[in-house]
Amino acid sequence: MEKVKVGLIGFGNIGTGVVKTFQHNAEKINEEVGKKVELVKIADKDVTTPREVEIDSELLTEDYREILNDPSIDIVMELVGGVDPAYKMIKEALRKGKNVVTANKDLLAKHSAELIALAQEKQVALAFEASVGGGIPLIRTIRDSLAANNINYILGILNGTSNYILTKMYDEPDMSFEEILVQAQELGYAEADPTSDIEGYDAANKAAILASIAFGQKITLDDVYTEGITRITPRDITYTSELGYIIKLLAVIRKMINGVEVRVHPVLLPEDHILSSVSDVINTVMFDLDLVGNTMLHGPGAGALPTASSVLSDVIEIAKHLHNKKVPRFLTPYTFDREKEIVSMDDVVSGYYIRMQVYDRPGVLATVGSVFAKYDVSIAVVLQKESNIGGWVPLIVLTHPIKDAPMKKALEEIKQHDEILRGDPFYIRILDV
Ligand SMILES: NC(=O)c1ccc[n+]([C@@H]2O[C@H](COP(=O)([O-])OP(=O)(O)OC[C@H]3O[C@@H](n4cnc5c(N)ncnc54)[C@H](OP(=O)(O)O)[C@@H]3O)[C@@H](O)[C@H]2O)c1
């Protein structure tokens, strides 16, 4: 039987899942490929710590170059993560004519166009199904199964940690954000440093990759407007529930007349919106397409075995077509040649939920109303909540859709009225697609 040799760099969480899959599903993998797919080398900084899988110590090395310099290895899996040194490793591998499979969203959100161009030059594959949505087959679905469609928009719950925290905030209204975050860390759903998840950067990396593939153009993390969930309080959960909404951290990727919108921020979704019911660490991506209409993919966005499933799917596809002249389209590195503007956040239109702490006295609503009127902000709902210590009360306003720029100017001006306002107004956009 013909053999395909594979090397793995990074024997961590996902690397271990990949090794387990190679061991348990070898027969299935070989059958799919029609060749014997062999994992012949594993590189990690530390090869002494026991892992969850038994592995022949002969396979292990602390020097990843042993994999890159082995001419018999056709496919390299990069599962180290982060930008450096993974960037160097992948570039070196591609330059040496090796096919590369990676799950590295941080790296791809910055350098995918350059790495794809290099792979194209070297006539090898750079595959990254696992970089977005863990075990959910997203990249290939966009590039292959949905290829005949024009994509109008993509809405994605792309970060399991923040979705878990928001779900718990609704389920356990007496728990604070911080308490739920600690619980998520204890359960292994949040990293010791949760910044990337709760500040929206992880979802933004994935949004940049999805948008690049969906719209065939270079879109990097810098193009993605990003806000996280750290300012959401139990009060916002209560008030939005009362108003019939659920808060989600959403990636919105949308084709507009004036360009492409790519943004990640909390949104208010109507309770009966299909994405409102996505709970815990699950990821969901909804497409709006000119031929299909709406379709949705839903599943585990992280975890060793789901992510290994996506990594191995890339390995299988590359192995199947190895030594063929033509690599299939989803693996063929291609140039991002469409160049639509990235729509400035100033021009994005949404309704707003605004929470302010105001002094409970006559004339407050008139002051707020006159500032909003100055910037053409039209009010849809006003709620003044129960009285608070010292006469300060929460004032909740929902607005009709308005561009970001005038809304932000209105909020800046309201901030100057410190005779009626305590603290900064807090806002969440209302989904308008
Ligand atoms: N975790 C998930 O659920 C998930 C889901 C989708 C995608 N991903 C992506 O998958 C990739 C791997 O994530 P992970 O969770 O498996 O990370 P991880 O557990 O930290 O594993 C990374 C491994 O690479 C090793 N490493 C670091 N520098 C190295 C070097 N120079 N040479 C060789 N090995 C090196 C690390 O060793 P040390 O620990 O000693 O530094 C660690 O064992 C990342 O790109 C991540 O974004 C992860």
Side-chain angles (χ1 to χ4, degrees):
M1 198 180 203
E2 193 184 337
K3 279 188 186 170
V4 175
K5 292 193 179 176
V6 183
L8 165 66
I9 312 177
F11 196 11
N13 184 20
I14 306 303
T16 303
V18 163
V19 173
K20 274 186 192 167
T21 308
F22 261 105
Q23 293 179 347
H24 297 154
N25 290 15
E27 205 178 314
K28 175 76 169 71
I29 293 167
N30 294 339
E31 222 174 78
E32 280 299 318
V33 177
K35 303 167 193 168
K36 188 166 173 7
V37 183
E38 235 184 326
L39 180 60
V40 294
K41 208 78 197 146
I42 301 172
D44 197 280
K45 272 198 314 201
D46 161 24
V47 294
T48 52
T49 308
R51 313 278 163 169
E52 283 175 31
V53 277
E54 289 279 316
I55 194 93
D56 178 356
S57 61
E58 291 276 288
L59 260 57
L60 297 170
T61 173
E62 289 186 352
D63 181 6
Y64 74 89
R65 286 195 178 80
E66 275 189 35
I67 292 177
L68 302 193
N69 291 333
D70 182 340
S72 73
I73 294 179
D74 291 304
I75 304 171
V76 175
M77 299 177 286
E78 179 280 306
L79 295 173
V80 169
V83 177
D84 291 311
Y87 178 51
K88 203 171 97 189
M89 290 168 175
I90 292 184
K91 275 212 308 205
E92 252 180 85
L94 294 172
R95 282 200 185 114
K96 285 177 183 289
K98 304 225 180 279
N99 299 282
V100 173
V101 174
T102 177
N104 194 331
K105 56 213 160 214
D106 307 74
L107 176 62
L108 291 165
K110 285 200 170 72
H111 298 295
S112 65
E114 180 200 342
L115 294 173
I116 282 169
L118 178 58
Q120 186 176 44
E121 185 195 321
K122 295 291 173 188
Q123 292 288 297
V124 288
L126 173 68
F128 42 90
E129 183 61 70
S131 64
V132 188
I136 312 173
L138 280 165
I139 306 288
R140 199 166 314 163
T141 301
I142 295 175
R143 301 231 3 222
D144 191 6
S145 312
L146 301 175
N149 289 261
N150 285 298
I151 298 176
N152 300 320
Y153 64 78
I154 301 173
L155 302 177
I157 295 177
L158 298 176
N159 181 264
T161 307
S162 52
N163 201 52
Y164 173 83
I165 293 172
L166 290 172
T167 306
K168 281 289 157 212
M169 286 179 88
Y170 281 93
D171 291 349
E172 312 277 352
D174 296 332
M175 282 178 82
S176 69
F177 181 91
E178 290 72 21
E179 286 166 335
I180 293 171
L181 176 59
V182 169
Q183 196 184 67
Q185 285 168 322
E186 283 165 2
L187 288 166
Y189 294 158
E191 307 267 344
D193 176 2
T195 313
S196 177
D197 291 323
I198 62 179
E199 294 295 356
Y201 306 131
D202 175 76
N205 279 329
K206 296 166 182 170
I209 298 168
L210 276 188
S212 302
I213 299 299
F215 295 125
Q217 72 179 72
K218 178 178 167 183
I219 292 171
T220 67
L221 183 63
D222 293 339
D223 296 316
V224 186
Y225 174 85
T226 309
E227 279 175 22
I229 60 167
T230 50
R231 291 189 64 207
I232 297 166
T233 65
R235 281 184 166 185
D236 298 309
I237 300 297
T238 308
Y239 303 153
T240 53
S241 286
E242 282 172 22
L243 290 161
Y245 290 99
I246 297 273
I247 305 171
K248 291 285 176 197
L249 182 72
L250 211 66
V252 181
I253 299 165
R254 180 154 71 143
K255 190 165 66 185
M256 305 296 286
I257 292 168
N258 55 341
V260 176
E261 281 181 14
V262 192
R263 48 194 168 102
V264 168
H265 52 76
V267 296
L268 259 59
L269 290 174
E271 264 167 4
D272 59 359
H273 192 285
I274 196 154
L275 292 175
S276 296
S277 60
V278 177
S279 55
D280 296 327
V281 288
I282 291 297
N283 283 197
T284 302
V285 177
M286 181 180 173
F287 297 93
D288 187 72
L289 308 149
D290 61 349
L291 305 179
V292 176
N294 282 349
T295 188
M296 213 165 74
L297 290 167
H298 178 86
L305 292 181
T307 309
S309 156
S310 291
V311 170
L312 265 301
S313 79
D314 282 341
V315 169
I316 288 170
E317 267 328 286
I318 296 173
K320 260 188 206 167
H321 298 278
L322 211 65
H323 313 308
N324 287 1
K325 274 222 169 85
K326 224 168 147 34
V327 195
R329 181 176 127 78
F330 81 92
L331 292 171
T332 309
Y334 73 119
T335 344
F336 292 146
D337 52 3
R338 271 167 280 169
E339 278 304 331
K340 279 181 171 279
E341 285 290 308
I342 304 296
V343 177
S344 156
M345 202 58 200
D346 284 351
D347 294 324
V348 167
V349 176
S350 1
Y352 276 78
Y353 156 92
I354 300 157
R355 168 175 51 79
M356 294 176 267
Q357 193 74 356
V358 298
Y359 200 55
D360 191 12
R361 69 169 192 215
V364 168
L365 275 180
T367 306
V368 170
S370 71
V371 174
F372 278 1
K374 182 174 164 188
Y375 293 98
D376 271 340
V377 178
S378 168
I379 294 175
V381 175
V382 180
L383 283 180
Q384 185 171 315
K385 303 306 290 184
E386 71 286 353
S387 193
N388 225 318
I389 300 164
W392 294 96
V393 288
L395 180 73
I396 309 302
V397 178
L398 297 193
T399 76
H400 289 294
I402 172 97
K403 280 190 180 175
D404 245 55
M407 187 70 243
K408 294 247 178 76
K409 280 187 189 148
L411 293 176
E412 275 306 310
E413 189 162 326
I414 284 176
K415 268 174 27 186
Q416 309 311 315
H417 287 274
D418 51 9
E419 76 285 3
I420 60 152
L421 188 79
R422 198 167 64 168
D424 287 350
F426 173 64
Y427 64 83
I428 304 175
R429 295 175 186 83
I430 303 169
L431 186 75
D432 61 327
V433 293

